[in-house]
Amino acid sequence: MLRALVLTVGLLMATPSAAQTLVIAHRGASGERPEHTRAAYELAIDQGADLIEPDLVMSRDRVLVVRHENALSDTTDVADRPEFADRRRTQTIDGRRVTDWFSEDFTLAELRTLRARERLPELRGTAFDGQFGLMTLDEVLDLADAASARTGRRIGVVPELKHPTHFATIGLPMEPGLIEVLARRGLTGADAPVIVQSFEVEVLRALDRALDVPLMQLISPAGGPFDRPDLTYGAMLTPEGLAGVATYADWIGVEAGLVIPRAPDGTAGAATGLVAVAHAAGLKIGVWTLRAENRFLPVDHRSDDSQAPGDLAGWFRRFEAAGVDALFTDHPGVAGR
């Protein structure tokens, strides 16, 4: 594995190669610090991550804020804040009814008063709850720039646009804000250390017309892009479907089981042919999400001690052997060893 990796156009855009596997810190080192916090990103970089991933939602005043979802109660203390009690409401997001507090009902100044909490407290504890605030995309890019200067290796950023159709329908389209941030920072070219990702299609097509940065089409094992009810993810994974993706994107990002499925007994099965098919279409392939806890690992990579981490490093090596180009992980320090 190459840990001190310089991110260039050759790594992000060139013809796929099995020679290098990038480590993408999924929401930072989110297995050890609350996700999407400064501490999670800084720890991930110290552990050798090549890129860090901020999920993006919108504030009421059109700022790109870093949270996994626009629903805030799972990862912040908003439910304990009496001054925001009347903001709790129910709405439909991507066809699903959700009752919560939503980022689009708060200004950035209000969001900055919230404190981050661990999303999986039963697995990862709560020792760091309340210690960190919320970040913006600009702040994550600042952090990556500072870390690049400090470490001497270029730290990339992989922002994901969450629910872009939802935000567009409420008058908060995500593309203009993203384009403005990247343009202001000189990050619009093919050599920018940025990969923009989404599960939706049309937002990536729009960005492909406006920017030259690498784009990643995210693909789930089931369902399809919310903005394309005529299209399934299964159809996108055929040779013809991947050729279509390659007209606007440079990467696909897929769930781990689409590359190495679980056997009926819960062990890791044989690799599928998806990596080769993606590469034949001219696409690089990233895999999500590798985690060290036993519940997330195949049976043959679990620890005998249910409370101890499993063999994430061995699981990581299976995907390297399969030829994937990048791996999203909550535990970059373990995965990169």
Side-chain angles (χ1 to χ4, degrees), residues 34-304:
E35 65 187 40
H36 293 314
T37 59
R38 179 174 295 276
Y41 292 127
E42 289 177 341
L43 178 58
I45 292 165
D46 290 345
Q47 291 177 340
D50 302 304
L51 306 98
I52 55 177
E53 186 214 26
D55 293 325
L56 303 179
V57 298
M58 296 294 288
S59 71
R60 189 172 71 195
D61 44 353
R62 300 176 182 272
V63 179
L64 290 163
V65 177
V66 180
R67 283 290 93 189
H68 176 55
E69 291 290 340
N70 57 329
L72 299 171
S73 65
D74 280 350
T75 61
T76 77
D77 63 352
V78 67
D80 297 333
R81 305 293 290 274
E83 67 270 33
F84 298 134
D86 61 351
R87 306 280 180 97
R88 187 172 186 265
R89 65 184 179 94
T90 301
Q91 64 172 330
T92 300
I93 303 172
D94 295 357
R96 185 170 66 93
R97 296 288 284 174
V98 181
T99 300
D100 212 293
W101 291 259
F102 299 99
S103 65
E104 60 264 37
D105 296 330
F106 294 76
T107 65
L108 176 61
E110 291 172 326
L111 290 170
R112 287 197 187 281
T113 69
L114 302 179
R115 309 306 290 174
R117 285 183 171 174
E118 172 56 51
R119 189 173 61 87
L120 298 172
E122 71 283 5
L123 285 180
R124 296 172 176 172
T126 59
F128 298 98
D129 282 7
Q131 295 187 26
F132 312 110
L134 277 58
M135 300 185 72
T136 65
L137 173 60
D138 259 318
E139 289 168 342
V140 173
L141 291 167
D142 285 343
L143 185 154
D145 286 345
S148 298
R150 184 181 75 251
T151 63
R153 56 192 179 89
R154 193 68 176 100
I155 306 301
V157 178
V158 190
E160 180 185 346
L161 299 178
K162 305 293 293 196
H163 310 299
T165 293
H166 166 74
F167 282 114
T169 61
I170 61 172
L172 296 171
M174 306 187 83
E175 303 97 299
L178 178 66
I179 292 168
E180 186 279 325
V181 169
L182 296 181
R184 172 165 42 81
R185 304 179 73 102
L187 296 174
T188 60
D191 60 344
V194 173
I195 306 171
V196 180
Q197 49 175 342
S198 180
F199 280 100
E200 296 190 17
V201 172
E202 297 309 319
V203 67
L204 293 177
R205 288 189 180 277
L207 292 172
D208 181 49
R209 293 189 291 269
L211 302 168
D212 291 324
V213 299
L215 304 175
M216 179 184 289
Q217 175 68 62
L218 297 173
I219 297 176
S220 285
F226 179 75
D227 64 329
R228 288 289 304 274
D230 60 315
L231 187 61
T232 67
Y233 289 129
M236 295 175 79
L237 289 172
T238 65
E240 297 76 16
L242 290 172
V245 172
T247 65
Y248 63 88
D250 311 284
W251 290 72
I252 57 170
V254 303
E255 193 272 331
L258 291 170
V259 174
I260 302 179
R262 306 287 173 95
D265 64 357
T267 61
T272 67
L274 181 57
V275 172
V277 177
H279 286 174
L283 293 162
K284 302 189 91 168
I285 181 168
V287 168
W288 45 268
T289 301
L290 275 62
R291 299 178 169 102
E293 291 92 355
N294 280 327
R295 77 155 68 167
F296 300 116
L297 290 166
V299 170
D300 47 336
H301 285 271
R302 294 177 185 172
S303 167
D304 292 336

Side-chain angles (χ1 to χ4, degrees), residues 2-47:
L2 299 180
R3 305 304 313 121
L5 198 58
V6 178
L7 294 177
T8 65
V9 61
L11 288 172
L12 296 178
M13 292 288 291
T15 302
S17 166
Q20 299 169 337
T21 302
L22 297 171
V23 175
I24 302 175
H26 183 245
R27 313 175 199 171
S30 54
E32 300 179 62
R33 299 291 185 275
E35 65 187 40
H36 293 314
T37 59
R38 179 174 295 276
Y41 292 127
E42 289 177 341
L43 178 58
I45 292 165
D46 290 345
Q47 291 177 340

